[in-house]
């Protein structure tokens, strides 16, 4: 069975190819089911293959074919607990999103094409997480970037969607650049890109400076994919894609790539304390920064987008604290509740005829009970209410920050404040959407979504509620599960029982405050007018896009214009034209010979033969 | 001694014919000059005991090739006298130098190569009858002979093709383009 | 004094040079063709003279082959000439100078 591990990647890619070629013929619901099956089968395979790890099975390497063996880059796959867990998340949550999309994308003109891209996304992500060397991981990394571009700009006839796709692609390229440079430095240092060799020799080969340089480069890659400061800007715009795409990108696949990559290369990060501090700080700041932005959004999907960035900040902070299990744990719980939030939001948008402004919703609780109840679970989970999944994973991260001591206590404080804001804006979202007055157009008739959409919601809600129990301080199931992967890394663990309970009580109190504040503000009839000042700035994303536009894009454009108009015309064209002028002059001088008169050519031929005869005679000694 | 006299006379006629051919303004005179040279060539062949080749020379060149030339001259106009003033710079001077040089080096080369040590034509008599020639032609040189068959066939087909399909069609397309 | 092969060779050389001069100086394509024929004939003369000198029949065989080739060349050449004349109403090769660079 393990020999067929490559099928995990091959099946979704096969589905993508089939749907691109025969999509039109396969037709509307069939292509959706087909694509879902090609994600469900890998999921089932992954479950079967992952079960032995519970009993402490060995890590497996599956060699598929030789690619560039000399640099340690083969198409060969790594099956260890971490990649197994990632595969399960990607195919499990991804598969549910596929099924949801069958209903959500109903009636779209390019329905089969959508599923083709979705399958491509799953295949790319699986390549990324299953690779056993940096080169193949980079292939998956780039493919993920490509499929995100295709999906975000899926409705490319909308200019904003096309622009958002481009933005995601370009911003990600900056991160990819960092990742690629990191890979080159790894290759320069180790002479191979194979994970096992690199991680095993890292301690002996790398100096602290080299390790810092490599890991910072890798971290630039992670900030691109995982939407951290300062490269997070693509993610809010990515909401232009269809909602299932947002769910797929932001919950299960793309954004987790950076976290996964740092966790995978923890052996390198461990050698560079400075990098780790940078990672943790950037993560914490991103969490806080994005949370403050999420408060001010009116668009339901934008709230979730900034919330994603914020939660990713937690994960990055965790891996930066070398609390790898906590980071991966939060990644997993987040995958469930964020996918659920997005899909529920999609269900709401679907019901409201594509209205996304929360100020034009309200009172939807009665019209869509399933969506409401599942989303409520997600709300409590992301806020971190005991005993839902978000509580366990978030508190494990905060506990790790606290346990590390020193100035990391500051990061813990930021995390707690972020938790407060998270509880506030999620409560705001729920109240504005499902409670209070009806504020929508009388023409819209909200209705519950079809079962292909609600069943995934219910499944996700179940997991969002209970998955956290896998790794409680009482019983560290996930930590034990991931032991083989992280056995050589010195992880930070939360402190003893008394402290952890105290910390948990603090966060619960903070969360309660957040929820109550939001209820005070939004839950009592009249809604506050939110314009001007902070609200306008938040809606504008604090003007970061404008700032980037002025500081980076405008000088870039000016440089490009200079290159195109001055440098290209004068220097590049000058060289090219100069070559042409020289050639032309040479040609013109020879052109005199090309008279067009047959007789001059004849004279040339005869004169030439005369010369040859003379030469032969001279050679023969005639003279 | 008669042989020397005959050679000188024939050579003079041959040279005269060649010069007339090259210098005459009227192409018909040129053709006549060439014809003269061809005939003297046949005479030289007889002097050299190549009887069969001499007959073929008269039949093929005088009979067929020259007739063809005359046909073509008639087709494209006899009275179009050529303007002999040279337009290409240096062409004439170059031609004189090249011509003299060519004659010189060929003679020189011949002198080098043909000192065989034999007295003149002392080799056993070679009777250039049909029999001896055809023995060689259909014996050792059969394959080459068959190749000439193909060559002639292709030439004939090519000529017919040029006459039938070549020009008129081009003309039609040209006039169509013109319209 | 006897006629040696050198005489024939010299005569052939002079005829060949005259033929070459004709090709180079005449503008009428027909006359140019005739000059080429003259050059071929002079070569034939050397073949036959050499064959007789060496007592080999191959000289005459070669001359026959040259005649065949010359005949083929003349037919094709004249056909092209006629085709060109139909199109351009000229046999002057100097006017056919489209290939001028």
């Amino acid at each position: 069975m393990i020999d067929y591990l490559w099928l995990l990647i091959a099946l979704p890619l096969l589905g993508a190819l089939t749907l691109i070629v025969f999509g039109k013929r396969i037709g509307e619901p069939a292509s959706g089911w087909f694509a879902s099956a090609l994600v469900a089968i890998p999921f089932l395979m992954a479950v079967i293959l992952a079960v032995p790890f519970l009993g402490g099975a060995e890590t497996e390497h599956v060699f598929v074919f030789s690619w560039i063996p000399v640099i340690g880059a083969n198409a060969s796959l790594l099956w260890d607990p971490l990649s197994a867990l990632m595969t399960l998340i990607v195919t499990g949550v991804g598969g549910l999103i596929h099924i949801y999309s069958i209903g959500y994308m109903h009636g779209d003109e390019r329905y089969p094409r959508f599923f083709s891209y979705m399958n491509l996304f799953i295949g790319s992500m699986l390549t990324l997480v299953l690779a056993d060397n940096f080169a193949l991981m980079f292939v998956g990394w780039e493919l993920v970037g490509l499929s995100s571009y295709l999906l975000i700009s899926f409705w490319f006839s909308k200019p904003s969607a096309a622009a958002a796709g481009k933005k995601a692609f370009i911003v990600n390229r900056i991160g990819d650049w960092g990742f690629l440079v990191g890979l080159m430095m790894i290759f320069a240092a180790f002479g191979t890109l194979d994970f096992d060799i690199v991680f095993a020799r890292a301690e002996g080969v790398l100096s602290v400076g080299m390790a810092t340089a490599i890991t910072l480069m890798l971290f630039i890659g992670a900030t691109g994919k995982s939407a951290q400061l300062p490269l997070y800007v693509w993610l809010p715009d990515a909401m232009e894609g269809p909602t299932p795409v947002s769910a797929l990108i932001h919950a299960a696949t793309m954004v987790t790539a950076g976290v996964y990559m740092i966790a995978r290369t923890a052996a390198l990060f461990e050698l560079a304390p400075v990098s780790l501090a940078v990672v943790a700080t950037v993560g914490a700041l991103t969490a806080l920064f994005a949370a403050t932005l999420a408060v001010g959004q009116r668009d339901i999907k934008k709230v979730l987008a900034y919330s994603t960035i914020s939660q990713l900040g937690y994960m990055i902070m965790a891996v930066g604290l070398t609390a790898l299990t906590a980071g991966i744990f939060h990644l997993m719980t987040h995958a469930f509740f964020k996918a659920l939030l997005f899909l529920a939001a999609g269900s709401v948008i679907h019901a409201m005829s594509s209205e996304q402004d929360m100020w034009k919703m309200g009172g939807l609780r009665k019209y869509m009970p399933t969506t409401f109840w599942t989303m409520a679970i997600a709300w409590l989970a992301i806020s971190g209410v005991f005993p839902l999944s978000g509580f366990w994973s978030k508190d494990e991260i905060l506990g790790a920050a606290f346990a590390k001591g020193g100035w990391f206590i500051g990061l813990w404080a930021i995390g707690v404040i972020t938790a407060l804001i998270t509880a506030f804006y999620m409560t705001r979202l729920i109240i504005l959407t499902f409670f209070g007055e009806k504020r929508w157009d009388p023409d819209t008739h909200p209705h519950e979504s079809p079962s292909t959409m609600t069943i995934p919601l219910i499944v996700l809600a179940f997991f969002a509620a209970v998955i956290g129990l896998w790794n409680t301080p009482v019983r560290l199931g996930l930590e034990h599960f991931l032991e083989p992967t992280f056995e050589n890394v010195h992880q930070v663990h939360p402190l003893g029982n008394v402290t952890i309970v105290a910390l948990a009580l603090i966060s619960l109190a903070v969360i309660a405050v957040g929820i109550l504040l939001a209820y005070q503000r939004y839950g009592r009839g009249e809604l506050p007018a939110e314009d001007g000042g902070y609200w306008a700035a938040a809606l504008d994303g604090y003007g970061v896009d404008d700032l980037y536009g002025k500081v980076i894009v405008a000088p870039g454009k000016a440089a490009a214009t200079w290159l195109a108009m001055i440098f290209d015309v004068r220097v590049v064209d000058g060289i090219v034209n100069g070559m042409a002028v020289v050639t032309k002059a040479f040609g013109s001088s020879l052109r005199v010979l090309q008279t067009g008169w047959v007789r001059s050519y004849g004279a040339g031929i005869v004169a030439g033969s005369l010369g040859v005869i003379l030469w032969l005679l001279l050679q023969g000694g005639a003279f | 001694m008669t042989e020397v006299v005959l050679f000188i006379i024939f050579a003079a006629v041959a040279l005269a014919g060649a010069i007339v051919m090259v210098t005459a303004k009227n192409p018909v005179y040129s053709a006549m000059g060439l014809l003269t040279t061809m005939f003297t060539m046949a005479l030289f062949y007889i002097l050299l005991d190549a009887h069969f080749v001499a007959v073929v020379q008269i039949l093929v060149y005088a009979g067929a090739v020259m007739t063809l030339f005359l046909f073509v001259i008639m087709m494209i106009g006899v009275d179009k006298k050529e303007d002999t003033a040279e337009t290409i710079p240096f062409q004439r001077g170059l031609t004189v130098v090249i011509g003299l040089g060519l004659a010189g080096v060929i003679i020189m080369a011949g002198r080098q190569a043909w000192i065989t040590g034999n007295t003149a034509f002392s080799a056993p008599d070679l009777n250039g009858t049909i029999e001896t020639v055809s023995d060689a032609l259909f014996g050792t040189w059969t394959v080459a002979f068959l190749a000439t068959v193909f060559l002639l066939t292709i030439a004939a087909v090519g000529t017919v093709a040029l006459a039938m399909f070549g020009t008129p069609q081009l003309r039609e397309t040209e006039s169509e383009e013109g319209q | 004094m006897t006629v040696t092969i050198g005489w024939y060779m010299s005569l052939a050389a002079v005829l060949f040079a005259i033929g070459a001069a004709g090709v180079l100086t005449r503008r009428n394509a027909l006359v140019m063709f005739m000059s080429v024929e003259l050059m071929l004939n002079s070569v034939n003369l050397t073949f036959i003279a050499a064959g007789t000198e060496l007592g080999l029949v191959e000289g005459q065989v070669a001359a026959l082959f040259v005649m065949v080739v010359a005949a083929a060349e003349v037919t094709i050449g004249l056909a092209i000439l006629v085709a060109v004349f139909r199109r351009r109403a000229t046999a002057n090769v100097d006017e056919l100078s489209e290939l001028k660079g």
Side-chain angles (χ1 to χ4, degrees):
Chain A
M1 184 79 176
I2 190 79
D3 293 335
Y4 295 101
L5 191 63
W6 57 273
L7 277 177
L8 291 187
I9 298 173
L11 284 177
L13 291 182
L14 177 78
L17 195 68
T18 314
L19 286 175
I20 278 212
V21 179
F22 301 111
K24 282 248 162 71
R25 240 172 256 185
I26 294 173
E28 206 190 288
S31 52
W33 287 111
F34 174 70
S36 307
L38 287 181
V39 179
I41 294 169
F43 174 71
L44 293 177
M45 280 179 72
V47 169
I48 295 167
L49 288 169
V51 165
F53 287 129
L54 290 172
E58 290 288 304
T59 296
E60 301 265 8
H61 289 268
V62 181
F63 179 84
V64 185
F65 61 87
S66 260
W67 178 28
I68 321 173
V70 72
I71 62 163
N74 286 315
S76 79
L77 308 176
L78 174 63
W79 187 248
D80 73 346
L82 180 59
S83 59
L85 183 71
M86 289 300 293
T87 305
L88 287 173
I89 295 170
V90 171
T91 53
V93 178
L96 288 172
I97 295 171
H98 270 74
I99 294 169
Y100 174 90
S101 307
I102 295 171
Y104 188 86
M105 294 306 287
H106 171 74
D108 194 279
E109 226 178 306
R110 294 158 67 235
Y111 186 91
R113 183 56 59 91
F114 179 81
F115 283 97
S116 164
Y117 292 164
M118 294 283 273
N119 267 357
L120 178 66
F121 210 141
I122 300 288
S124 318
M125 194 64 198
L126 290 177
T127 312
L128 198 164
V129 298
L130 287 173
D132 89 333
N133 57 72
F134 283 104
L136 191 62
M137 190 188 198
F138 187 69
V139 170
W141 191 269
E142 290 293 315
L143 278 174
V144 166
L146 167 73
S147 24
S148 72
Y149 167 75
L150 291 172
L151 281 172
I152 291 170
S153 52
F154 183 73
W155 286 323
F156 55 75
S157 49
K158 214 165 48 165
S160 59
K166 269 195 288 187
K167 188 170 176 184
F169 199 70
I170 292 166
V171 172
N172 263 297
R173 293 237 48 93
I174 299 170
D176 296 348
W177 164 80
F179 189 41
L180 191 56
V181 172
L183 296 199
M184 289 171 184
M185 289 161 76
I186 288 170
F187 183 71
F190 295 92
T192 180
L193 292 171
D194 191 88
F195 280 161
D196 284 349
I197 300 173
V198 169
F199 298 152
R201 293 188 192 154
E203 203 154 1
V205 172
L206 292 179
S207 64
V208 175
M210 190 69 181
T212 309
I214 289 177
T215 46
L216 283 179
M217 280 299 162
L218 294 179
F219 180 57
I220 290 178
T223 56
K225 278 278 179 296
S226 284
Q228 296 298 295
L229 282 171
L231 297 181
Y232 72 92
V233 287
W234 64 270
L235 198 142
D237 287 22
M239 293 302 126
E240 292 291 342
T243 304
V245 172
S246 309
L248 191 62
I249 292 178
H250 302 151
T253 57
M254 184 161 165
V255 295
T256 60
V259 180
Y260 166 78
M261 189 259 281
I262 295 177
R264 177 59 81 194
T265 57
L268 302 179
F269 276 88
E270 206 181 25
L271 301 173
V274 178
S275 300
L276 283 176
V278 169
V279 172
T281 313
V282 168
L285 291 179
T286 307
L288 180 63
F289 177 82
T292 62
L293 274 170
V295 174
Q297 302 302 318
R298 285 164 167 262
D299 182 328
I300 184 167
K301 281 176 76 181
K302 281 275 167 73
V303 176
L304 297 177
Y306 283 111
S307 154
T308 302
I309 300 173
S310 173
Q311 297 299 315
L312 284 164
Y314 274 122
M315 296 175 213
I316 293 286
M317 180 170 104
V319 290
L321 295 164
T322 58
L324 301 172
T325 310
I328 297 296
F329 184 35
H330 195 58
L331 188 159
M332 179 175 75
T333 57
H334 176 258
F336 287 111
F337 59 67
K338 187 48 64 67
L340 174 54
L341 282 169
F342 269 113
L343 296 186
S347 175
V348 169
I349 294 166
H350 194 67
M352 298 295 295
S353 313
S354 300
E355 182 55 65
Q356 302 194 6
D357 188 345
M358 293 187 296
W359 294 85
K360 293 182 180 151
M361 294 178 185
L364 285 172
R365 189 185 41 192
K366 281 170 243 158
Y367 297 91
M368 7 191 7
T370 315
T371 305
F372 168 68
W373 282 112
T374 52
M375 197 162 185
I377 291 173
W379 157 53
L380 296 174
I382 192 175
S383 302
V385 171
F386 180 84
L388 299 172
S389 60
F391 166 78
W392 302 107
S393 57
K394 191 184 291 180
D395 267 37
E396 197 171 329
I397 295 171
L398 294 176
F402 196 84
K404 204 146 185 190
W407 61 276
F408 291 102
I409 303 281
L411 298 187
W412 170 80
I414 292 177
V416 172
I417 295 168
T418 307
L420 170 81
I421 303 173
T422 306
F424 180 83
Y425 69 68
M426 285 313 298
T427 313
R428 173 176 177 264
L429 183 147
I430 292 290
I431 292 175
L432 288 177
T433 309
F434 292 106
F435 292 89
E437 298 295 312
K438 301 169 188 170
R439 296 184 299 273
W440 65 76
D441 282 343
D443 296 341
T444 40
H445 301 288
H447 53 87
E448 187 57 274
S449 301
S451 56
T452 47
M453 288 166 74
T454 51
I455 289 171
L457 291 180
I458 294 164
V459 175
L460 284 169
F462 173 74
F463 280 105
V466 303
I467 196 75
L469 299 175
W470 192 15
N471 200 43
T472 61
V474 185
R475 200 182 134 274
L476 289 165
L478 180 68
E479 181 139 354
H480 182 66
F481 182 78
L482 290 175
E483 191 91 56
T485 306
F486 296 141
E487 60 189 349
N488 297 322
V489 183
H490 307 288
Q491 291 205 59
V492 171
H493 297 290
L495 300 167
N497 281 337
V498 181
T499 326
I500 202 122
V501 170
L503 289 175
L505 286 176
I506 292 175
S507 16
L508 282 175
V510 158
I511 291 158
V513 171
I515 294 175
L516 284 175
L517 279 176
Y519 176 72
Q520 281 284 348
R521 191 172 162 84
Y522 303 101
R524 300 239 189 125
E526 276 305 292
L527 289 176
E530 295 187 337
D531 358 276
Y534 160 77
W535 303 102
L539 271 184
D540 199 28
Y542 295 154
V544 171
D545 276 345
D546 282 348
L547 182 72
Y548 284 1
K550 283 196 187 106
V551 176
I552 298 165
V553 179
K557 274 188 180 162
T561 312
W562 181 80
L563 283 175
M565 295 301 166
I566 310 289
F567 184 78
D568 185 59
V569 171
R570 304 231 175 116
V571 180
V572 178
D573 285 5
I575 292 168
V576 175
N577 291 341
M579 305 279 282
V581 166
V582 170
T583 314
K584 205 173 158 188
F586 187 64
S588 305
S589 62
L590 286 181
R591 194 172 153 215
V592 180
L593 292 177
Q594 197 75 12
T595 55
W597 292 313
V598 177
R599 294 185 299 135
S600 352
Y601 303 158
I605 293 169
V606 179
S609 52
L610 181 59
V612 170
I613 296 171
L614 272 173
W615 185 75
L616 286 173
L617 284 175
L618 278 173
Q619 290 295 91
F623 300 111
Chain B
M1 199 59 200
T2 43
E3 205 190 347
V4 176
V5 174
L6 282 176
F7 180 87
I8 290 171
I9 293 169
F10 292 156
V13 172
L15 286 173
I19 288 166
V20 165
M21 184 209 75
V22 173
T23 53
K25 286 188 181 179
N26 189 326
V28 180
Y29 292 167
S30 289
M32 290 303 136
L34 183 59
L35 194 57
T36 315
T37 312
M38 300 283 188
F39 271 121
T40 51
M41 286 288 161
L43 294 173
F44 283 127
Y45 295 166
I46 292 169
L47 281 181
L48 289 168
D49 281 339
H51 310 296
F52 175 64
V53 182
V55 173
V56 172
Q57 167 86 1
I58 289 168
L59 284 178
V60 171
Y61 274 111
V65 173
M66 290 321 296
T67 320
L68 192 58
F69 267 110
L70 287 171
F71 271 138
V72 175
I73 289 169
M74 281 191 291
M75 258 182 85
I76 64 184
V78 203
D79 49 9
K80 287 209 168 171
K81 288 196 179 154
E82 193 182 336
D83 181 13
T84 46
E86 184 56 68
T87 47
I88 305 178
F90 309 122
Q91 179 79 4
R92 207 151 272 187
L94 197 63
T95 306
V96 170
V97 174
I98 288 174
L100 288 177
L102 209 53
V105 294
I106 293 171
I107 291 168
M108 180 72 92
R111 230 191 58 191
Q112 292 282 310
W114 291 104
I115 297 174
T116 55
N118 300 336
T119 51
F121 301 119
S122 59
D125 260 4
L126 186 70
N127 217 352
T129 57
I130 298 178
E131 197 182 348
T132 42
V133 174
S134 54
D135 267 356
L137 210 52
F138 297 117
T140 323
W141 305 103
T142 319
V143 178
F145 181 76
L146 290 175
T148 61
V149 172
F150 281 111
L151 178 71
L152 282 174
T153 314
I154 292 165
V157 171
T159 309
V160 172
L162 269 173
M164 277 179 70
F165 313 117
T167 344
Q169 273 184 348
L170 284 172
R171 248 188 187 168
E172 277 164 27
T173 51
E174 236 176 25
S175 59
E176 275 165 18
E177 279 162 14
Q179 284 161 3
Chain C
M1 194 159 78
T2 51
V3 178
T4 63
I5 186 160
W7 297 39
Y8 285 102
M9 287 296 159
S10 305
L11 176 66
V14 172
L15 286 174
F16 188 84
I18 291 173
V23 172
L24 295 186
T25 50
R26 296 303 298 262
R27 263 167 288 181
N28 190 327
L30 267 168
V31 183
M32 290 172 79
F33 264 121
M34 291 183 205
S35 304
V36 172
E37 291 304 317
L38 181 63
M39 290 162 81
L40 289 169
N41 264 288
S42 72
V43 173
N44 269 355
L45 184 59
T46 63
F47 273 131
I48 288 173
T52 310
E53 164 84 1
L54 298 173
L56 291 174
V57 77
E58 268 73 17
Q60 297 176 22
V61 173
L64 280 172
F65 284 136
V66 170
M67 281 182 199
V68 173
V69 173
E73 175 241 326
V74 159
T75 47
I76 291 289
L78 288 178
I80 291 172
L81 188 64
V82 170
V84 168
F85 187 79
R86 277 198 212 151
R87 212 161 179 211
R88 310 284 298 265
T90 182
N92 185 337
V93 291
D94 281 5
E95 286 175 27
L96 308 174
S97 59
E98 269 75 26
L99 286 178
K100 182 168 167 52

